[in-house]
Amino acid sequence: MKEITILSGKGGTGKTSITAALASVAENAVLCDSDVDAADLHLLLHPQKKEEHTFSGGWIVQIDQSKCTRCRACMEICRYAAIHFNQEGQLEINPYQCEGCRLCEKKCAAEAITSVRNNNNYWYVSETRFGIMVHAKMGPGEENSGKLVSKIRGRAKEIATDNNLQYIINDGPPGIGCAAISSLTGSHAVLIVTEPSKSALHDLKRLVELIAGFSLPAYAVINKYDIDLELSSEIESYLKDNTIPLLEKIPFTPDVVKAMIEGKTITEYKPDSEITKSIKKIWERIRY
Amino acid sequence: MPFKIAIASGKGGTGKTTVAVHLYWYLANKYSPNIKLVDCDVEEPNDIIFFPEAEINEEKAVFQDIPEIVLSQCSFCKKCAEYCEFNAIVVLPPAHFAEVNNSLCHSCGACLEACNDNAIIEKKEPVGSINYYRINRGNGIKEGILKIGSVMQTMMIRELKKSVSNKNEIIIFDAPPGTSCPVVETVADADYVILVTEPTPFGLYDLQLSVDLLNDMKKPFGVIINKAGLGDDQVYNYLRDEGITLLGEIPFSREYAVKYAKGELLDDIPDIIDEHLRIIAGELENRLIQYEGNNYFKW
């Protein structure tokens, strides 16, 4: 089995559009949307949910005002400065600053602090016209995106094994932080989708350095390459210097947005286009 | 206290940076030179690219306190592992093994409280740096830059924000994409949030996620539609139906995309963009007056 993760560093380079297009030409693949923060793959693949699961996120920690003695022990021990006096003079925990370490709960002599699990995250196993898809919807402001990514990738792997499917195509998040690291760990190859801009090149360099730490084979695609030919060739030589094969250069076309509006992949929207040919070539390279 | 504006978006690549650098430039030139731009996209900070004249003035390393278990003192009681909510500590008493996994540790200090053997000490691990750049308008740019491989982006943002002086009149925070903890940290103390979206199905869906988050956080916000003209009108319908403020638009043009690509957004700003910025700044001022009530805010 081979899991291919699509990353970009910079957001908006076209990860999801290319992932969906690859899904449409791949056979024997499980599809996974690891961009749980802002998952969009479902807008092109229209999954029919077969399983729905809740995922326990962080803790919601609260102070029982009838028990609190305002001794401030919790406030002093909290390293996230999440505990404040409110206007009524009561100690309160700001849920957005709290990281759920529960040290305050353990330190509270009055036993006024309790925690409950936040069950505001969901993940699904669905059917799509291109095969099984595993995806998630994270509650707003959640802090466990890395764990949720590990969860859905783990399930995608089980499904691939159980159904004897050869590939997992994994749409990754932007950036290089915990969500990107979670979607890289244990993958077999990375497809980088970049674009010709100074920002994208800067972000690409940081991503390549991250991937190098995982010793994974990486491939690259320059999307919208004709927006700036000069920067495209700069990116090309950077990739060459770092021995990352450049698989295809895809031109800018409003067709990608038009396909998105129709809820289709670009390969379905323009089956005979150059882009569709490029997508097929990319898949033939990364599948081996 | 400074007036804090955060620029955010659910989807990446909608134009947060474009809006942040333009707004900084516009407000610094037309309203107040006492303004600072703070790049909170610590995984991939890009604001500085658009200010080729920027000079680095100061670089400060940021450290995370990572606990380390001193085996010679450790009684392998496992209490630290029980206290750790992040499963970052493994203790195997028969093997006399006890270790902290740095990449899972949140530096909360619970294990130190748990240990009765004085067997845990804290060491400083670098997680990134805060850079300050001077530029020829306004008070310049601060950016946080996460060390590659670190998962401590939220902490970096917290430290970055702490380092910004309250003497600025206006502070613009350029947020990372998404809707999870780094975004929450960035917008947490903002007085107003600008959501940047694009008129496409992806842009709309991710905008809705951001709106849910900001409503949850009870933050006042308005929306800028970037790349206007590229997609369809669903985003406009959504804003109208939900009664959400449309602060303004930035039209899509290929020439403009090229200027962005080259990092030359602020050279010869086209009249049409300048006009849209004027509308956005005006709308922003109207909103601020509305929210500030008696503390009538004037640029």
Side-chain angles (χ1 to χ4, degrees):
Chain A
M1 187 210 305
K2 183 171 185 180
E3 181 179 11
I4 301 151
T5 296
I6 292 92
L7 288 173
S8 66
K10 178 168 163 27
T13 59
K15 279 182 299 303
T16 302
S17 294
I18 287 179
T19 303
L22 288 170
S24 74
V25 301
E27 280 167 17
N28 296 317
V30 179
L31 315 166
C32 183
D33 191 347
S34 284
D35 186 6
V36 296
D37 249 45
D40 287 335
L41 191 59
H42 65 104
L43 297 171
L44 300 181
L45 301 189
H46 315 292
Q48 302 290 315
K49 288 173 192 160
K50 298 289 165 196
E51 290 174 28
E52 176 173 326
H53 305 267
T54 48
F55 177 77
S56 290
W59 293 98
I60 304 170
V61 187
Q62 273 173 326
I63 301 177
D64 180 345
Q65 299 300 343
S66 66
K67 289 183 183 169
C68 175
T69 60
R70 326 264 188 277
C71 76
R72 298 171 186 238
C74 55
M75 199 175 155
E76 278 153 22
I77 201 142
C78 176
R79 291 197 178 180
Y80 310 108
I83 307 179
H84 316 270
F85 276 106
N86 65 15
Q87 284 171 337
E88 284 84 52
Q90 297 171 327
L91 281 166
E92 223 174 48
I93 301 174
N94 179 337
Y96 293 113
Q97 286 172 313
C98 173
E99 298 216 2
C101 75
R102 299 176 77 193
L103 185 55
C104 55
E105 186 182 338
K106 294 178 183 102
K107 277 281 147 181
C108 180
E111 295 187 355
I113 303 181
T114 50
S115 309
V116 286
R117 276 280 183 199
N118 176 1
N119 285 323
N120 199 15
N121 303 294
Y122 301 90
W123 63 276
Y124 316 95
V125 178
S126 302
E127 261 167 36
T128 76
R129 60 196 185 284
F130 307 126
I132 301 171
M133 172 174 172
V134 191
H135 52 123
K137 182 162 180 8
M138 209 177 57
E142 264 297 316
E143 59 202 59
N144 273 332
S145 55
K147 283 185 192 162
L148 185 54
V149 168
S150 308
K151 179 83 207 172
I152 62 171
R153 283 185 53 222
R155 186 70 185 113
K157 211 162 273 179
E158 282 169 19
I159 291 169
T161 311
D162 294 350
N163 295 280
N164 227 346
L165 298 170
Q166 237 175 318
Y167 304 103
I168 298 169
I169 303 176
N170 183 27
D171 191 10
I176 59 159
C178 83
I181 290 171
S182 266
S183 49
L184 265 182
T185 314
S187 287
H188 302 98
V190 184
L191 177 67
I192 303 168
V193 179
T194 188
E195 64 178 29
S197 68
K198 280 194 171 175
S199 310
L201 176 57
H202 167 266
D203 297 355
L204 170 69
K205 288 177 180 170
R206 285 171 59 78
L207 176 63
V208 166
E209 207 180 309
L210 179 72
I211 295 169
F214 284 82
S215 316
L216 286 176
Y219 307 91
V221 173
I222 303 178
N223 195 14
K224 317 173 213 176
Y225 82 93
D226 52 345
I227 289 280
D228 194 314
L229 296 174
E230 214 177 300
L231 272 154
S232 271
S233 62
E234 201 180 319
I235 290 178
E236 247 176 274
S237 50
Y238 169 78
L239 292 169
K240 208 171 170 190
D241 292 345
N242 286 274
T243 59
I244 295 170
L246 173 61
L247 302 184
E248 286 293 314
K249 292 193 283 183
I250 297 175
F252 173 78
T253 160
D255 284 342
V256 173
V257 173
K258 287 181 193 158
M260 193 196 290
I261 288 168
E262 289 195 11
K264 290 179 178 165
T265 65
I266 185 69
T267 44
E268 291 169 304
Y269 186 76
K270 286 273 157 123
D272 301 319
S273 64
E274 286 301 313
I275 293 189
T276 298
K277 283 181 205 153
S278 290
I279 294 290
K280 286 179 180 162
K281 280 193 218 159
I282 294 167
W283 178 244
E284 285 311 312
R285 278 295 299 278
I286 59 177
R287 60 184 287 199
Y288 295 111
Chain B
M1 284 295 274
F3 201 85
K4 296 173 181 166
I5 305 165
I7 320 272
S9 77
K11 177 166 159 38
T14 56
K16 280 180 297 304
T17 297
T18 299
V19 168
V21 302
H22 269 122
L23 201 60
Y24 173 82
W25 197 245
Y26 189 86
L27 297 179
N29 282 314
K30 304 267 167 78
Y31 286 94
S32 168
N34 191 7
I35 180 171
K36 190 164 270 171
L37 176 58
V38 181
D39 195 343
C40 296
D41 188 0
V42 300
E43 294 176 46
E44 301 285 23
N46 287 144
D47 289 355
I48 201 71
I49 290 173
F50 299 94
F51 298 90
E53 81 282 10
E55 268 176 51
I56 190 150
N57 206 47
E58 194 190 303
E59 193 176 343
K60 203 180 109 217
V62 175
F63 297 92
Q64 174 193 9
D65 288 327
I66 294 271
E68 199 179 278
I69 302 173
V70 182
L71 291 176
S72 58
Q73 299 267 86
C74 180
S75 64
F76 305 96
C77 72
K78 283 185 154 182
K79 202 173 161 204
C80 56
E82 283 157 23
Y83 261 54
C84 180
E85 282 294 331
F86 309 103
N87 299 321
I89 303 180
V90 181
V91 182
L92 301 168
H96 278 224
F97 178 89
E99 206 171 79
V100 179
N101 180 337
N102 291 10
S103 63
L104 294 174
C105 176
H106 284 226
S107 295
C108 70
C111 54
L112 276 94
E113 287 293 325
C115 185
N116 295 324
D117 306 321
N118 277 326
I120 303 181
I121 53 168
E122 279 185 304
K123 289 208 165 157
K124 295 208 177 295
E125 277 286 321
V127 292
S129 66
I130 294 171
N131 301 334
Y132 169 57
Y133 294 87
R134 217 195 319 244
I135 50 181
N136 56 22
R137 286 284 196 296
N139 293 340
I141 302 178
K142 271 213 167 166
E143 69 168 16
I145 185 149
L146 186 72
K147 190 179 153 208
I148 291 165
S150 172
V151 296
M152 298 302 289
Q153 61 270 46
T154 307
M155 181 194 160
M156 267 305 299
I157 296 169
R158 193 160 48 228
E159 294 301 317
L160 170 65
K161 290 176 71 186
K162 262 199 253 168
S163 77
V164 180
S165 160
N166 273 338
K167 286 180 187 148
N168 292 284
E169 203 177 346
I170 305 169
I171 302 174
I172 297 176
F173 295 122
D174 189 5
T179 56
S180 65
C181 43
V183 180
V184 170
E185 185 63 42
T186 306
V187 305
D189 64 341
D191 298 294
Y192 194 78
V193 182
I194 296 175
L195 290 175
V196 184
T197 188
E198 57 183 41
T200 65
F202 288 2
L204 172 60
Y205 182 79
D206 297 345
L207 172 67
Q208 290 168 329
L209 298 177
S210 306
V211 167
D212 285 349
L213 174 67
L214 295 179
N215 282 336
D216 254 28
M217 295 179 75
K218 302 187 177 65
K219 284 279 165 199
F221 64 93
V223 173
I224 291 177
I225 298 180
N226 188 22
K227 309 181 198 175
L230 189 65
D232 60 5
D233 51 12
Q234 292 301 312
V235 169
Y236 296 89
N237 297 340
Y238 166 75
L239 294 179
R240 200 189 47 232
D241 293 348
E242 298 291 318
I244 296 169
T245 309
L246 176 60
L247 293 166
E249 296 170 83
I250 298 176
F252 176 79
S253 86
R254 210 177 155 120
E255 298 90 88
Y256 203 57
V258 172
K259 286 186 75 168
Y260 172 86
K262 294 189 187 301
E264 293 169 356
L265 277 179
L266 300 175
D267 298 356
D268 309 315
I269 297 173
D271 286 347
I272 177 142
I273 298 291
D274 202 59
E275 176 57 16
H276 281 282
L277 283 169
R278 195 184 61 76
I279 294 168
I280 290 164
E283 268 298 316
L284 207 49
E285 193 177 11
N286 288 338
R287 294 302 121 191
L288 301 183
I289 290 165
Q290 193 180 314
Y291 287 110
E292 291 288 291
N294 293 333
N295 299 322
Y296 191 91
F297 182 89
K298 199 79 193 135
W299 287 116

